[in-house]
Amino acid sequence: MSDYPRAFKTFVWSVVACAAIAVYYTPRPPLSHGDFASLLALAALAQVSEALAVSLPVAGSVSLSYAAVYASVVLYGGLPAVIVALCGSITVQEIRQHKSIWAVVFNAAQMAASAALSCLVLDVVGVPPLTSSWSIHAVSGKLLAGWMLAALVLWFVNALMFSVAVSITRGLPLRHTLHAQKLASFLINLGFLAPLGFLMAVVLLRRGWPTLLVLAIPFVLERQVLRAYVRLAESYTDNVRLLVSAIESKDPYTRGHSERVAFMARKLATRMKLSPRQVDLVERAALLHDLGKIGVPISVLRSSAELDPEEAQQIRLHPTTGADLVSRIALVSEASEAVLSHHERPDGAGYPRGLRDSDIPLIARVLACADVFDAMTSDRPYRSALGTDVALQEIVRVAGTQLDARIAMEFVRMLQDEQTMQNVHEQ
């Protein structure tokens, strides 16, 4: 629990209070015996769906529990929907892993608040639950608008609260964490899972809970599609590694540089507790960060003399060239911004845009630390490799000017911890 800052704990209590108020004002529709059975089936489906969430490279984790929660919102509304949302807020696996109580409470509260506010929206616009209206109301524009608005609120409230939590715990600008809620997530939830949830609600209303076994088929198929996408992305990454290795092979001094930077950058991002999506993005950006050097003459890359202004300009163009190339590759295009910015500096003296401090993307700041360290500890045409201790001292010296101070010091602590562990094992 001590891992979380006080601001996050205060925010958790605020979310709990918001959820409690929203739940208090949500309707409590009467449920029949059959409704209880269907509600239990939806709650079980939400729990199983969350446990089977699929992590997508550079896109975050996709859980199909949204469909089950949305089905309960339009079918029952009020407290029943909150119960289903709570069932999808945490998995048995997370409990076994002793997940922090603060994380558990936050997940439960944000899911409850999202479901309750979605139900309140339907109540305010005058769209009753399907259990009380389906047989006597024809589908109208008002009903469709209400259901669409409820789906949007269910997604947006959850995304907003998650973004604020990440912003607080990782010290990131809120605009960056909000930006991380990508269009892909929006389209998957509102374009596929919301209609699927509505279909579930209608079928449950007409045919009862046994039909949920049939409705589980789209869930299984969608998960298989997502897993196939993951395998394709992993294969694509392997091909990218081969491409980078081929490019670096023309310069013996940089051979293996991108692989080493990717390895260290991923470890640093994991240590900083970045999201799985961000960790994957860091690794891909690190692999591709020097792709733009494909346009730099070998004579310039291998030069042991001081570069003249024209040669220096050719080197300074490689982030722009690399970002342009990466932006054209669909599966890794999101890494283009980090590739473009990996030579920017907090003091504004970097290139190509002279960005400062938090205006530099977080992924680029993480990548820069690993890039600088590997450059210093590798042989170059103009000097021999520096020792690890000397390189770490240099990183401490430039923290806050060339490198992000907080990230640089975390990188230093990471390597010092590794050195300590290695010394212990050698004794």
Side-chain angles (χ1 to χ4, degrees):
M1 290 187 289
S2 59
D3 291 339
Y4 292 102
R6 179 178 298 179
F8 174 71
K9 297 176 182 179
T10 301
F11 177 65
V12 171
W13 287 120
S14 300
V15 175
V16 169
C18 174
I21 294 172
V23 170
Y24 178 80
Y25 285 102
T26 55
R28 287 160 176 74
L31 300 178
S32 65
H33 178 73
D35 289 335
F36 276 110
S38 296
L39 180 63
L40 182 61
L42 282 175
L45 182 60
Q47 169 61 213
V48 172
S49 298
E50 188 65 24
L52 297 178
V54 177
S55 294
L56 300 181
V58 198
S61 177
V62 174
S63 169
L64 305 182
S65 64
Y66 176 94
V69 176
Y70 182 65
S72 65
V73 168
V74 298
L75 186 58
Y76 305 112
L79 193 58
V82 173
I83 292 172
V84 173
L86 288 173
C87 290
S89 66
I90 187 169
T91 66
V92 174
Q93 181 181 5
E94 290 174 329
I95 296 174
R96 290 175 177 173
Q97 293 174 346
H98 304 290
K99 190 172 184 177
S100 168
I101 186 63
W102 288 103
V104 171
V105 172
F106 170 72
N107 286 338
Q110 72 162 340
M111 288 299 295
S114 301
L117 290 172
S118 182
C119 294
L120 280 173
V121 165
L122 288 179
D123 190 50
V124 169
V125 299
V127 177
L130 294 184
T131 50
S132 64
S133 65
W134 185 258
S135 60
I136 59 175
H137 289 83
V139 175
S140 64
K142 176 183 176 181
L143 291 177
L144 288 173
W147 291 328
M148 292 174 61
L149 183 59
L152 178 62
V153 169
L154 182 62
W155 173 81
F156 177 75
V157 173
N158 188 283
L160 176 62
M161 290 183 174
F162 177 77
S163 297
V164 173
V166 172
S167 175
I168 293 172
T169 55
R170 295 170 186 163
L172 304 175
L174 180 59
R175 68 179 185 276
H176 287 176
T177 55
L178 284 172
H179 180 69
Q181 304 298 323
K182 293 297 178 183
L183 179 63
S185 171
F186 176 83
L187 293 178
I188 289 174
N189 283 283
L190 275 73
F192 173 77
L193 296 181
L196 178 59
F198 188 84
L199 175 63
M200 290 168 55
V202 173
V203 175
L204 280 172
L205 182 67
R206 293 295 183 89
R207 302 298 180 184
W209 69 267
T211 57
L212 211 57
L213 296 175
V214 177
L215 290 175
I217 294 176
F219 279 65
V220 175
L221 293 176
E222 177 67 7
R223 188 168 189 268
Q224 291 301 111
V225 169
L226 294 175
R227 292 183 66 182
Y229 172 82
V230 170
R231 289 193 293 269
L232 175 62
E234 290 172 347
S235 174
Y236 199 89
T237 300
D238 290 338
N239 290 332
V240 169
R241 290 181 188 274
L242 291 174
L243 172 63
V244 171
S245 297
I247 293 172
E248 290 184 346
S249 66
K250 71 178 186 178
D251 181 8
Y253 291 100
T254 60
R255 187 173 298 157
H257 168 69
S258 295
E259 281 280 1
R260 294 191 299 271
V261 172
F263 177 73
M264 287 189 292
R266 184 179 182 88
K267 285 201 302 183
L268 178 58
T270 302
R271 181 183 174 97
M272 291 173 59
K273 299 181 180 179
L274 301 189
S275 68
R277 185 195 71 82
Q278 290 174 307
V279 171
D280 287 336
L281 183 57
V282 164
E283 181 178 27
R284 283 167 170 75
L287 281 172
L288 298 164
H289 76 283
D290 277 344
L291 188 62
K293 286 184 178 179
I294 194 173
V296 179
I298 296 178
S299 60
V300 175
L301 294 176
R302 295 184 178 181
S303 176
S304 58
E306 182 177 353
L307 299 179
D308 62 36
E310 182 180 349
E311 291 172 332
Q313 182 61 23
Q314 288 177 321
I315 291 291
R316 291 170 70 91
L317 283 175
H318 84 268
T320 304
T321 303
D324 181 59
L325 292 172
V326 171
S327 68
R328 302 182 188 187
I329 307 173
L331 284 177
V332 293
S333 60
E334 193 176 6
S336 63
E337 184 66 19
V339 171
L340 178 64
S341 307
H342 74 278
H343 279 297
E344 300 287 357
R345 297 172 42 139
D347 62 4
Y351 60 89
R353 294 177 291 176
L355 301 180
R356 288 179 174 272
D357 299 320
S358 60
D359 289 334
I360 304 171
L362 172 64
I363 302 303
R365 285 179 274 152
V366 173
L367 163 57
C369 286
D371 185 32
V372 167
F373 176 80
D374 189 74
M376 287 191 293
T377 54
S378 301
D379 287 328
R380 286 291 189 262
Y382 48 87
R383 60 150 176 82
S384 298
L386 302 179
T388 297
D389 291 339
V390 175
L392 291 180
Q393 291 172 8
E394 181 64 14
I395 285 180
V396 172
R397 188 184 71 82
V398 301
T401 54
Q402 182 178 347
L403 300 173
D404 181 286
R406 181 177 66 90
I407 297 175
M409 297 312 298
E410 191 65 39
F411 182 79
V412 170
R413 285 191 290 268
M414 179 182 76
L415 292 190
Q416 288 175 338
D417 289 347
E418 290 180 356
Q419 285 182 321
T420 301
M421 291 299 297
Q422 184 178 356
N423 293 336
V424 168
H425 288 308
E426 290 176 352
Q427 292 177 355

